[in-house]
Amino acid sequence: MTAPDDELRARFDETIPGRESPRGHYGSPSILAMDGLARQRHFTSGAAKPPAVHHLFGLTPTRASPGRATFSAPASPWLLGTAGVFHGGVAPMVADAPLSSSVITELGPNQIVTTAALSFDFVRPADPSAGRIVAESTSEHVGRNLGLSSCEVTDAAGRLLAYGIARHVVLSIDPEEQASDVDPTQQVPVDEAATYDGPDPWERPVEGEVLSPELWDRPGLELAEAWCADELPRPPYQVLTGCTPVDCREGWVRWIAPASGWWCSPAPYLYGGMLAMFAESTLSAAFTTVSPAGRVAAVVDLNVRFLRPVFPDGGVLDAQAEVVHAGRNLRVATCEIHDGRGKLAVLAEASAVLVPPTFFSDAASGDAELPTDP
């Protein structure tokens, strides 16, 4: 008899993390002997072998200066969600790296940061016509134990897509635990079995499908049930990341995702931006279950708290989201993500407003902003 976890993992078989060993490398531990700005410039210069999230999305550091950091990713069709635009989780996926990096540039040797919380307000959606998704961050405060940073997420034309802030914990590492010689070339691969034949996932022909416009005339709960039952095709970002809906009812959903090395940054645990992206996906799906026919929930803000690191141990991440308020137009939902051991790892909350399905394509190609009138 198949174990429940095996049945859940089978849902990943048609996704990139489910069928391929992750490409990429972790950062060299000895690099911590360098000050923070030197570390970030090492990554920005291209001297380091890139992490897995770079190979998955094309996420790349482009600038590091005192108190500032910029990352960008191609506006790939792989990032498309069910409504034919990038969902809100793309912004924290791109922005978490520079939010941390801007604080790191002001640290000394043997100091690191870990992100404790992210908060985003979304301005407008984007689609592949955006060219690139760019996140530029500034450190607002760096103390002995606390770091604060802010960022703007824009498209290639400079249009504001989202604004985010982050709170970080500053930690000191015992120098005796570090190598005496700095050798940033000594990097460990995320997976020894990975092969690099052919392009990275984000560079390949896109897989998956967005929802046909006429299907939005169905009640949202009916659509959510069809996705959980694999009766509707996955959108591209789900194929790319492995995020998968498995159960739902009115006002509640359950999603799963692989604790895969594909989700790792240079640190040997899952990138916070990926966990935030997963949380936003689950929250958005919960809003769908209470959306009437002909209306779509547009997430306008997202708040995420990280409670513990999540490691790429091959386990199944379990996210459950519940709508706690469903007014005439404003909806609010909360989400919990547990790791493969059942430990609570992430708490998140979001609000959304109802819009017609055509809003997303109109806003992505024009100057319309997300409505906020409840």
Side-chain angles (χ1 to χ4, degrees), residues 83-96:
V85 294
F86 301 163
H87 67 93
V90 171
M93 185 277 291
V94 178
D96 181 39

Side-chain angles (χ1 to χ4, degrees), residues 112-155:
I112 61 172
V113 301
T114 181
T115 302
L118 294 172
S119 179
F120 281 84
D121 288 291
F122 304 112
V123 176
R124 57 171 58 83
D127 63 17
S129 68
R132 292 193 73 81
I133 308 299
V134 181
E136 183 173 356
S137 175
T138 302
S139 64
E140 305 293 349
H141 170 79
V142 181
R144 179 180 299 177
N145 301 305
L146 173 68
L148 301 174
S149 57
S150 64
C151 78
E152 291 186 352
V153 183
T154 63
D155 62 14

Side-chain angles (χ1 to χ4, degrees), residues 15-17 19-23 55-56 76-79 195-207 236 239-240 262:
T15 70
I16 298 295
R19 68 193 189 206
E20 295 185 31
S21 297
R23 301 177 178 185
H55 292 283
L56 192 62
S76 165
W78 277 102
L79 298 176
T195 61
Y196 293 80
D197 297 332
D200 282 337
W202 67 271
E203 299 175 297
R204 303 172 193 169
V206 68
E207 301 175 41
V239 179
L240 184 67
W262 278 113

Side-chain angles (χ1 to χ4, degrees), residues 243 252-259 263 270-283 302-311 315-322 334-349:
C243 297
W252 176 88
V253 296
R254 181 190 182 199
W255 280 46
I256 58 173
W263 284 32
L270 303 195
Y271 173 50
M274 288 297 302
L275 293 170
M277 186 183 202
F278 181 37
E280 198 278 343
S281 299
T282 310
L283 287 159
L302 174 69
N303 298 283
V304 183
R305 294 177 182 272
F306 302 101
L307 307 182
R308 55 170 42 88
V310 182
F311 299 96
V316 176
L317 304 180
D318 192 319
Q320 298 184 33
E322 181 177 11
T334 59
C335 175
E336 295 184 358
I337 299 176
H338 291 78
D339 65 17
R341 301 171 299 162
K343 301 289 187 179
L344 181 61
V346 178
L347 288 173
E349 179 185 275

Side-chain angles (χ1 to χ4, degrees), residues 31-85:
I31 201 172
L32 295 177
M34 302 163 62
D35 66 57
L37 181 58
R39 273 180 257 160
Q40 293 309 121
R41 286 179 168 167
H42 173 74
F43 290 116
T44 303
S45 71
K49 296 176 182 177
V53 290
H54 167 83
H55 292 283
L56 192 62
F57 293 103
L59 181 64
T60 303
T62 59
R63 177 188 177 189
S65 59
R68 301 183 72 87
T70 303
F71 279 62
S72 72
S76 165
W78 277 102
L79 298 176
L80 289 171
T82 56
V85 294

Side-chain angles (χ1 to χ4, degrees), residues 167-259:
R167 176 166 52 86
H168 314 275
V169 178
V170 178
L171 301 171
S172 296
I173 304 298
D174 187 348
E176 293 183 0
E177 298 179 5
Q178 302 303 317
S180 57
D181 297 325
V182 178
D183 185 359
T185 65
Q186 291 185 350
Q187 295 182 248
V188 176
V190 174
D191 192 325
E192 295 281 0
T195 61
Y196 293 80
D197 297 332
D200 282 337
W202 67 271
E203 299 175 297
R204 303 172 193 169
V206 68
E207 301 175 41
E209 300 177 32
V210 301
L211 193 66
S212 300
E214 63 271 13
L215 292 179
W216 288 114
D217 290 334
R218 296 164 62 177
L221 179 57
E222 187 177 312
L223 292 173
E225 289 172 338
W227 274 309
C228 290
D230 276 338
E231 295 172 355
L232 289 172
R234 293 174 182 260
Y237 89 91
Q238 289 184 22
V239 179
L240 184 67
T241 64
C243 297
T244 302
V246 293
D247 196 9
C248 68
R249 58 178 180 265
E250 186 175 358
W252 176 88
V253 296
R254 181 190 182 199
W255 280 46
I256 58 173

